[in-house]
Amino acid sequence: MLSTNDGSSVLSAYQIDCIVGARPNLMKIAPILRAFTANDRVKARLIHTGQHYDDSMSGIFFEELGIRPPDINLDVGSGTNTEQTARIMLALEPVLASSRPDMLLVVGDVNSTLAASLVASKLLIPVVHVEAGLRSNDRTMPEEINRLVVDRVSDLLLTTDQAANEQLIREGVDGDQVHFVGNVMIDTLLANVKHCRPVLETIAKYSSGAFKDVCERKGYGIVTLHRPSNVDEPAQLKGLVEALVDISERLPLIFAMHPRTRARIEQGELDGQLSAAQILVTPPLGYIEMIGLMKGARLAITDSGGVQEETTALGVPCLTVRDNTERPVTVAEGTNTLVGSSPNTLRDAAFSALSNPGKRGRIPDLWDGQSAERVTDHVIAYLDHNRS
């Protein structure tokens, strides 16, 4: 509590440390930082762990989304899940211990989210998890372990849909800790979709005139694949590449390729099949480019959670190459269809979507562009209630 010159009192600002580490975090943190900056009750410090450290996977997003440079960069770099988590914990602990925030905010389910939550919890710093309660029920996914642990140690759990609230209550979380705020990733989408570059301009940037012409005539689909279950097993990856080649005969595809996927495709000598088909392979795309392509696509093929959400918000039919999803609302209400891991099933589902009107869903409740403001309100309310 502070006093003004006339003797009245004003409430002091809370210091909130916000953690980012990987590309998916940045779309989620951008609207939260804007909402925090607009509120005089909050002073935010941005800490980048350096989990994603090259420009294509992280740096360009700061510029495109208007995120200020991090106040602290831990520069942990790459490694196994365990190595990365341990490095982040070791680097972050002295930072939080020397300048204790009132709360630590984490988003999503990456290693940085797990590591920061554990450090703060051990230091008795309250943790708020934005995007809590998502479950794939597949513990072979590293992200699923991260979600389970982060939600268990968090003090305030903010969810993207009502099903996540129900999941947390089933797991024994106190209902007073759980609040449905909507999807901050959709805040970013709605704020930026109007700034997208024209689709054909983006296609021309990465392709020859011939590919641009065929896209103009037939339309196009977008592809993102990066999960170990799809790209690390040579037979599975080969089958998926063959399915994409077949699909591209009916619909040209733009494959925004993750570095991990590119390495596996080169190791398997599959790049020649892609280059001979109506498939344009690009490096990881900037956010504005990717959203522009997604908005204009006839179909999306992905194993990314974020793309499942974004295509739902944009009304674009999506085929998810996984046996499960931690975002079931995109299937129950949105445009997403789980096709499993079989390349043959993917091929059949794509042909069906192209022959018939693709799945058209509805936009889930509170995916309205105002979620970050609700996050801010709940953070302040929690800290006011627990003010010592």
Side-chain angles (χ1 to χ4, degrees), residues 231-259:
V231 305
D232 283 2
E233 170 55 45
Q236 170 70 0
L237 182 58
K238 183 176 186 293
L240 289 174
V241 166
E242 290 171 350
L244 293 176
V245 169
D246 290 344
I247 294 165
S248 74
E249 292 178 3
R250 298 197 190 182
L251 181 70
L253 298 175
I254 301 170
F255 193 161
M257 194 171 287
H258 190 285

Side-chain angles (χ1 to χ4, degrees), residues 204-215:
K205 176 180 174 182
Y206 295 100
S207 70
S208 66
F211 187 85
K212 174 176 170 287
D213 291 343
V214 74
C215 289

Side-chain angles (χ1 to χ4, degrees), residues 59-127:
I60 191 173
F61 277 57
F62 279 85
E63 179 182 347
E64 288 190 332
L65 299 180
I67 303 172
R68 69 172 191 261
D71 298 292
I72 296 171
N73 195 323
L74 303 179
D75 290 319
V76 298
S78 61
T80 67
N81 288 315
T82 301
E83 289 170 339
Q84 212 169 47
T85 302
R87 287 175 187 161
I88 295 167
M89 293 181 71
L90 290 169
L92 183 60
E93 183 179 45
V95 173
L96 297 185
S98 65
S99 178
R100 293 178 62 89
D102 295 297
M103 177 169 266
L104 183 93
L105 181 143
V106 293
V107 295
D109 53 21
V110 300
N111 291 337
S112 297
T113 301
L114 171 65
S117 300
L118 289 172
V119 172
S121 182
K122 288 177 179 291
L123 291 173
L124 303 182
I125 296 168
V127 176

